[in-house]
Amino acid sequence: MAASAPGKLILFGEHAVVFGEPAVSTAIDLRVEVYARAHTEWLVDGASLDEPRYRYVKAAVARAGGRNPLWLEVRSQVPSGAGLGSSAAVAVATIASLHRDAGPLDVPAIARMAFEVEHEVQGRASPVDTSTASAGGGILVLREPRANLLWSIERDTRRWFLHRCELPPLDLVIGNTGISAGTGPLVAKVKDRVDRDPQAAQMVREIGQISLDGLRAIQRKDFVEAGRLMDRNHALLTALGVGHPSLERLVTAARGHSFGAKLTGAGGGGSMVALTDTPQEAARAIREAGGKAFLVRSEPRGVTTLP
Ligand code: PMV
């Protein structure tokens, strides 16, 4: 068996979504493929599942693997530790590659299981990455169910409702700082701030409102307003302590050629995203500021099995 799942990009709402606030994400056209073949022992890329870099694969196998061992092979176009959801895509594609029935994939079940995997390995998390890698396309996360509901996911006292949302074609440029920061410690840092500081809690709520306003702006193709909201979202994330000087450099460089730019994913390094109608210029500015730049598109295909 073999399966593939896309990486993701959070347009609005990272970190705030962990507290149950709205967020908007899209799958991107960079994918992870996992191949599974019968073998005498469990291996991944010929190595032990116990190696730290395979902890998402190991946790996925612990939940979804059968009794018969497999040789797994992971091929990824999604840079890891870059805020582009590589671990979620690995978890989703691994679970799907372990699917043994003849029938179609149970996508909501995969999304739920992959969220549990991410929660186990990363600590506190939201289901935005794993659900986007499962469903593909644009995703709106809300506290309550609305039209176009895909599924809901619960954890402790929190409940997220994952919705399909239509996005127009967008020119998105990613700038990767090359600094890889762990999502878990950054999520824990924001929680610590929010628990101690009512102003930080208010910032998290403002990010939630920006997600709703930002999606509406994108859908009516008011990219000037969407860009302004991305800039504000970035400022709030920085105030919450997940910025980084290298992110600031790339965001500032990109803004000269964009409607707006913000960090995307967990921050602390990782990547930023710019919304632009001059992607080549924005990419050049990011490179000149020391980042790796590439263009991505929204990807409609979620998790799939491969022939
Ligand atoms: O950087 P990534 O791809 O792990 O994205 C993290 C997104 C957060 O909102 C910061 C955490 C989460 O679980 O939603």
Side-chain angles (χ1 to χ4, degrees):
M1 278 295 289
S4 124
K8 68 96 221 309
L9 183 64
I10 299 181
L11 292 167
F12 298 102
E14 49 273 272
H15 286 288
V17 68
V18 180
F19 297 85
E21 290 294 331
V24 180
S25 65
T26 177
I28 55 174
D29 53 352
L30 299 174
R31 300 186 70 91
V32 169
E33 294 174 349
V34 177
Y35 295 80
R37 236 173 250 113
H39 194 61
T40 48
E41 57 178 328
W42 281 101
L43 290 175
V44 49
D45 299 334
S48 160
L49 257 65
D50 293 327
E51 284 196 16
R53 68 195 158 120
Y54 294 122
R55 50 199 200 281
Y56 288 88
V57 175
K58 186 181 178 189
V61 166
R63 279 170 199 276
R67 236 181 292 142
N68 297 332
L70 298 167
W71 178 306
L72 302 174
E73 190 186 317
V74 181
R75 292 188 199 162
S76 177
Q77 291 178 307
V78 188
S80 70
L84 300 178
S86 75
S87 51
V90 166
V92 168
T94 303
I95 292 166
S97 78
L98 301 172
H99 178 79
R100 282 167 306 273
D101 316 328
L105 294 175
D106 180 348
V107 178
I110 292 173
R112 290 200 177 92
M113 203 181 278
F115 170 63
E116 290 302 322
V117 166
E118 190 152 81
H119 210 281
E120 182 185 321
V121 179
Q122 172 183 305
R124 212 174 133 81
S126 87
V128 67
D129 288 22
T130 38
S131 282
T132 309
S134 302
I139 297 289
L140 169 64
V141 190
L142 293 172
R143 264 184 214 282
E144 62 283 313
R146 298 253 183 92
N148 304 319
L149 178 69
L150 289 170
W151 50 72
S152 68
I153 292 186
E154 290 170 44
R155 180 85 205 191
D156 310 324
T157 57
R158 295 165 297 162
R159 191 159 180 199
W160 297 268
F161 293 87
L162 289 297
H163 299 78
R164 163 68 63 230
C165 71
E166 294 307 322
L167 299 172
L170 300 170
D171 281 315
L172 297 165
V173 179
I174 305 286
N176 183 354
T177 61
I179 297 165
S180 138
T183 302
L186 289 158
V187 168
K189 179 175 175 183
V190 174
K191 174 154 174 35
D192 190 48
R193 281 218 180 176
V194 168
D195 286 348
R196 281 186 294 113
D197 177 5
Q199 261 188 333
Q202 176 51 34
M203 287 180 202
V204 164
R205 286 193 290 274
E206 186 182 341
I207 292 175
Q209 186 58 45
I210 286 175
S211 296
L212 300 176
D213 296 344
L215 176 60
R216 274 193 289 267
I218 284 180
Q219 287 180 328
R220 62 174 191 270
K221 300 196 182 150
D222 183 349
F223 297 133
V224 172
E225 175 64 1
R228 190 189 67 77
L229 290 165
M230 287 171 80
D231 291 352
R232 176 71 185 147
N233 194 160
H234 178 76
L236 290 164
L237 287 166
T238 304
L240 284 169
V242 296
H244 189 275
S246 66
L247 271 171
E248 227 40 55
R249 265 199 301 282
L250 303 193
V251 162
T252 306
R255 279 189 186 145
H257 308 274
S258 308
F259 297 109
K262 61 182 274 293
L263 72 84
T264 187
S271 298
M272 46 73 63
V273 56
L275 177 64
T276 174
D277 57 359
T278 52
Q280 302 300 346
E281 281 85 340
R284 193 177 328 113
I286 289 168
R287 286 188 194 113
E288 280 168 10
K292 272 186 239 154
F294 46 96
L295 276 61
V296 293
R297 295 206 160 265
S298 187
E299 158 76 36
R301 267 182 322 145
V303 62
T304 57
T305 51
L306 298 172

